[in-house]
Amino acid sequence: MFNKVLVAEDLDSISIAVVQILEELSISEIHHAKYCDDALLKIKKAILDDSPYDLLISDLSFKTDHRENRLTSGEELITAVKKIQTDIKTIVFSIEDKSYRIKSLFNNLGINAYVSKGRNSIPELKKTVENVFSDETKIISAALSHVLNNKAIFEIEAYDISLLKSLSFGLTLDEIASEFKKTGITPNGSSSIEKRINKLKIYFKANNTTHLVAIAKDLGLI
């Protein structure tokens, strides 16, 4: 079984329940972080101490408060963690049920499992931890099993999400092209970006760019 696990969760009641099932699995070191920034610092320190975490269990949503944080979501945390510890096993434990968002966690961030919060989710999480330890991959709650089999979702890529986010910020075509060039996102030519926007409009049956952004928000893509 895993030796060292980090739980990133901002609600104490859920965190206590998660820690309890980890203790039942005889995991020797269990640490907890309420903020994504703190979780990343713990992982960095563990690596420096030559005692890295074996498993990260993270929620996706973290409520904002008086404290300013660089990382504000579980997705941002997992992305940052994977850059410094690619082999860490990762389980997302969240109430999120948007198809694209869940699928992107597997395809783009390489998580090992997704457990949906709800009735009987704690026992399910316990079993999932055991399965992930046994090297099973792409484990998902039974109620959401259709997500990984939905062929339509494959047509939306990480590039499209970056593009939709830029549009939601009100950036012009030239501004998006400039931003994409700075961050190394390709294709980043104005013509290519415009063609992709038009393709997205057709795909989502959007009347205009504003309508496209509204649809993307309703679907939980951005």
Side-chain angles (χ1 to χ4, degrees), residues 16-55:
I16 290 170
V18 173
V19 169
Q20 183 177 341
I21 63 115
L22 294 176
E23 289 174 342
E24 291 173 1
L25 291 170
S26 299
I27 294 172
S28 56
E29 277 195 72
I30 305 166
H31 298 166
H32 169 242
K34 290 185 178 182
Y35 297 92
C36 293
D37 285 4
D38 291 349
L40 183 60
L41 285 175
K42 286 178 182 291
I43 287 175
K44 286 181 176 179
K45 185 178 186 303
I47 293 172
L48 289 174
D49 292 341
D50 198 25
S51 179
Y53 287 96
D54 305 306
L55 173 67

Side-chain angles (χ1 to χ4, degrees), residues 2 20 30 46 60-61 63 68 74 89 96-97 109 129 136-137 150 192-193 222:
F2 296 112
Q20 183 177 341
I30 305 166
L60 293 180
S61 301
K63 290 186 178 180
E68 289 188 14
K89 298 291 181 67
E96 176 63 64
D97 63 356
L109 296 186
V129 171
E136 289 189 39
T137 58
N150 189 339
S192 297
I193 293 172
I222 55 177

Side-chain angles (χ1 to χ4, degrees), residues 154-171:
F154 276 121
E155 298 186 32
I156 304 300
E157 304 170 358
Y159 177 87
D160 299 311
I161 302 305
S162 296
L163 181 53
L164 289 167
K165 283 182 178 178
S166 296
L167 290 172
S168 72
F169 295 149
L171 299 183

Side-chain angles (χ1 to χ4, degrees), residues 159 163 167 172-178 180 187-200:
Y159 177 87
L163 181 53
L167 290 172
T172 65
L173 198 61
D174 289 339
E175 288 172 336
I176 295 173
S178 177
F180 278 16
N188 49 41
S190 296
S191 178
S192 297
I193 293 172
E194 186 174 18
K195 288 178 181 177
R196 193 63 180 180
I197 292 173
N198 289 332
K199 181 178 179 180
L200 288 170

Side-chain angles (χ1 to χ4, degrees), residues 1-176:
M1 181 46 64
F2 296 112
N3 294 314
K4 191 172 183 179
V5 177
L6 176 61
V7 179
E9 169 63 60
D10 59 353
L11 296 180
D12 288 337
S13 57
I14 295 176
S15 180
I16 290 170
V18 173
V19 169
Q20 183 177 341
I21 63 115
L22 294 176
E23 289 174 342
E24 291 173 1
L25 291 170
S26 299
I27 294 172
S28 56
E29 277 195 72
I30 305 166
H31 298 166
H32 169 242
K34 290 185 178 182
Y35 297 92
C36 293
D37 285 4
D38 291 349
L40 183 60
L41 285 175
K42 286 178 182 291
I43 287 175
K44 286 181 176 179
K45 185 178 186 303
I47 293 172
L48 289 174
D49 292 341
D50 198 25
S51 179
Y53 287 96
D54 305 306
L55 173 67
L56 168 65
I57 299 175
S58 179
D59 194 356
L60 293 180
S61 301
F62 289 79
K63 290 186 178 180
T64 57
D65 57 17
H66 63 281
R67 173 174 161 175
E68 289 188 14
N69 292 281
R70 188 173 65 85
L71 304 176
T72 58
S73 72
E75 287 157 307
E76 292 179 355
L77 170 61
I78 295 168
T79 300
V81 169
K82 291 286 186 175
K83 288 179 180 178
I84 60 174
Q85 189 180 345
T86 57
D87 61 343
I88 190 171
K89 298 291 181 67
T90 311
I91 297 174
V92 170
F93 187 44
S94 172
I95 198 169
E96 176 63 64
D97 63 356
K98 294 290 189 288
S99 296
Y100 173 79
R101 196 175 184 193
I102 295 172
K103 197 159 194 173
S104 69
L105 291 168
F106 284 102
N107 295 342
N108 298 330
L109 296 186
I111 69 168
N112 298 89
Y114 184 95
V115 179
S116 179
K117 288 180 179 176
R119 295 186 181 90
N120 300 315
S121 59
I122 292 299
E124 184 179 8
L125 178 62
K126 182 179 180 180
K127 182 63 177 176
T128 298
V129 171
E130 293 174 318
N131 290 339
V132 170
F133 179 72
S134 300
D135 283 332
E136 289 189 39
T137 58
K138 291 195 173 182
I139 305 165
I140 189 167
S141 294
L144 298 170
S145 59
H146 65 282
V147 169
L148 299 183
N149 298 318
N150 189 339
K151 304 294 184 183
I153 303 173
F154 276 121
E155 298 186 32
I156 304 300
E157 304 170 358
Y159 177 87
D160 299 311
I161 302 305
S162 296
L163 181 53
L164 289 167
K165 283 182 178 178
S166 296
L167 290 172
S168 72
F169 295 149
L171 299 183
T172 65
L173 198 61
D174 289 339
E175 288 172 336
I176 295 173

